[in-house]
Amino acid sequence: MHSPVCGEGTPGSVTQWFLLALALGGRMPPTEEIKCTDDDCFLDLFENHYTYDVPEDYSVSELSCPVCGGTDCLERVEL
Ligand SMILES: [Zn+2]
C-alpha cells in the first residue's frame, strides 16, 4: 500500500512562488548541469549552482573539468 509521507503538501503554492520568482527576476535561478565528453574521463556530469551575479556572457567554456582538467570537453546539458 502507498502511504505518502508528504501527502499534505500544497503544490499550488509552489507554483505560485515559482511564477512570482519569474515575474520578479525575469529569469530562472542560474543552475546548469555540465557533462565531460572526454572519453578517458570518468566524470559523467555535475551541477553548478550560481549566484545571481553570474555575468550575462558567462559560458561553460570558462570552466575546466574537476576530474581531468580539460577545458574544451565540457558541455552544458540542455534540460
Ligand atoms: Zn573530464
Side-chain angles (χ1 to χ4, degrees):
M1 299 296 269
H2 298 289
S3 54
V5 179
C6 300
E8 301 299 317
T10 51
S13 63
V14 174
T15 304
Q16 284 175 357
W17 178 89
F18 182 71
L19 291 176
L20 180 66
L22 276 183
L24 289 176
R27 57 178 174 158
M28 297 285 289
T31 301
E32 64 187 8
E33 292 187 353
I34 299 159
K35 65 177 177 181
C36 182
T37 58
D38 192 311
D39 288 340
D40 296 326
C41 182
F42 58 82
L43 182 80
D44 184 13
L45 58 82
F46 60 98
E47 191 173 70
N48 272 1
H49 296 249
Y50 301 104
T51 70
Y52 281 103
D53 295 328
V54 64
E56 291 284 338
D57 59 351
Y58 164 85
S59 76
V60 296
S61 64
E62 297 177 42
L63 299 174
S64 62
C65 176
V67 173
C68 69
T71 54
D72 54 359
C73 54
L74 296 179
E75 229 172 68
R76 184 177 172 210
V77 180
E78 298 295 337
L79 299 177

